[in-house]
Amino acid sequence: MRRTGRDLLVVVAGENFRDVPKRSVECQQRVGTKVCVRRKRLVVSLLAAGLLVVLGMASFVLLRRPSNQTFQEFWRPIVTSKDPVLFCVADQSQFSTITLRDAANPSRQTTTSDTMVTVVIDDVVPLVNIAGVLQSNGQRYQLKSEGSTTLTDLRQNPTVLIGAYDNSWTLRETADLRFHFANNPEMTHFWIEDRANPGKRDWALERDNQQKGVYKDFAIIGRFIDRNTDRFVIVAAGIARGGTVAAGEFLVDPRQIGEVVASAPKDWSKKNMELVLETQVIDGRSGPPHVVATHFW
């Protein structure tokens, strides 16, 4: 029979010897009482040390783990509203025709008259992510295009604004904030301007670079009460599409929100908040968002 370390551990621990190999028992009898006691103490010490290491690692993980309570507090004004949340998403050009496929032969297409409004797929990503947070908290929501949203809508509902330069409501709501969107008259150069340093152009994007598919994009995250409507507003808007996607990713990530709140004022949940994010876009896909500026008031 194979002798294992487990056989010796059973002997040292003083367990029932009935099932222990004879050789191990003989070895136990030859060792002597003092040596056995030392081994037993050694095993207990090693087990205790191992337990302390495990507990220490668990404590480290728990301490480093962002509080879900912080994430819930960030979204509390939105998810506890008695009124449904309004998603305001940019709508693009209206089309007068639509292409349909034959159910029996999908390769055959027919163009027919129709009227529809399109939504950029990159704006749908943050919409779906944030809607998931609302649904998990039992909050109702509705979706309206930028063109059909009115000031009355904003006064009646807490609002999530998605997109920047194709969403006039985002530009209006952020125009008076410290961090806001700006551009040249030719609409070829876009940037996020810091009212505390208007000449700064670090958070900028050239239209030509965006079309190449590899560029650094920037976005504004806003969480504030609009003084004109007295309603909470959430902004997830990038200069380009990659920034909007990154903003939506940030808003549903408890870890990243927890890191921002860790250095925020103690009463941050009762304050307005604005952040600037940076993301690297490669082949049209945005990388992880990074916070480059924060402002609480």
Side-chain angles (χ1 to χ4, degrees), residues 19 152 169 188:
D19 298 325
T152 300
W169 286 112
T188 58

Side-chain angles (χ1 to χ4, degrees), residues 139-150:
Q139 178 59 288
R140 298 168 297 155
Y141 60 88
Q142 55 183 316
L143 172 65
K144 280 194 172 185
S145 66
E146 175 260 351
S148 62
T149 300
T150 66

Side-chain angles (χ1 to χ4, degrees), residues 69-90:
Q69 184 178 356
T70 299
F71 184 73
Q72 293 295 330
E73 190 63 24
F74 179 92
W75 282 102
R76 183 187 59 77
I78 300 295
V79 300
T80 60
S81 171
K82 296 180 180 179
D83 300 307
V85 176
L86 171 65
F87 281 97
C88 178
V89 183

Side-chain angles (χ1 to χ4, degrees), residues 35-250:
V35 176
C36 290
V37 170
R38 292 194 189 101
R39 288 187 177 180
K40 183 175 181 179
R41 290 176 177 173
L42 176 61
V43 171
V44 172
S45 299
L46 290 175
L47 289 175
L51 181 60
L52 289 174
V53 171
V54 172
L55 290 175
M57 293 178 64
S59 300
F60 176 79
V61 171
L62 289 174
L63 289 174
R64 296 272 298 186
R65 188 178 184 179
S67 171
N68 189 57
Q69 184 178 356
T70 299
F71 184 73
Q72 293 295 330
E73 190 63 24
F74 179 92
W75 282 102
R76 183 187 59 77
I78 300 295
V79 300
T80 60
S81 171
K82 296 180 180 179
D83 300 307
V85 176
L86 171 65
F87 281 97
C88 178
V89 183
D91 49 335
Q92 296 296 322
S93 301
Q94 295 185 0
F95 293 87
S96 57
T97 61
I98 185 173
T99 300
L100 304 177
R101 294 183 180 273
D102 189 341
N105 181 13
S107 62
R108 187 173 75 86
Q109 302 180 15
T110 301
T111 300
T112 183
S113 298
D114 198 353
T115 301
M116 63 179 182
V117 178
T118 61
V119 176
V120 177
I121 189 65
D122 290 327
D123 288 349
V124 175
V125 174
L127 189 158
V128 172
N129 289 342
I130 297 172
V133 173
L134 301 184
Q135 285 184 321
S136 65
N137 285 274
Q139 178 59 288
R140 298 168 297 155
Y141 60 88
Q142 55 183 316
L143 172 65
K144 280 194 172 185
S145 66
E146 175 260 351
S148 62
T149 300
T150 66
L151 181 60
T152 300
D153 295 323
L154 301 184
R155 294 181 63 183
Q156 293 177 344
N157 308 89
T159 305
V160 177
L161 300 172
I162 298 177
Y165 290 97
D166 54 357
N167 191 330
S168 62
W169 286 112
T170 299
L171 298 178
R172 292 188 184 105
E173 290 287 345
T174 59
D176 295 331
L177 302 184
R178 174 180 171 179
F179 305 128
H180 55 278
F181 295 98
N183 56 268
N184 64 350
E186 296 76 22
M187 299 292 289
T188 58
H189 186 60
F190 305 86
W191 66 92
I192 294 176
E193 187 170 284
D194 183 355
R195 201 171 299 282
N197 189 4
K200 185 179 181 179
R201 291 290 185 273
D202 293 349
W203 310 323
L205 174 62
E206 296 287 343
R207 179 71 176 174
D208 291 342
N209 292 337
Q210 179 188 355
Q211 294 175 339
K212 294 176 183 178
V214 178
Y215 59 93
K216 188 170 291 187
D217 202 356
F218 301 91
I220 289 178
I221 293 287
R223 176 189 180 272
F224 56 89
I225 297 178
D226 178 16
R227 61 185 180 183
N228 295 316
T229 64
D230 201 30
R231 285 287 192 170
F232 251 98
V233 176
I234 296 289
V235 174
I239 295 178
R241 298 174 183 176
T244 299
V245 172
E249 178 182 331
F250 175 90

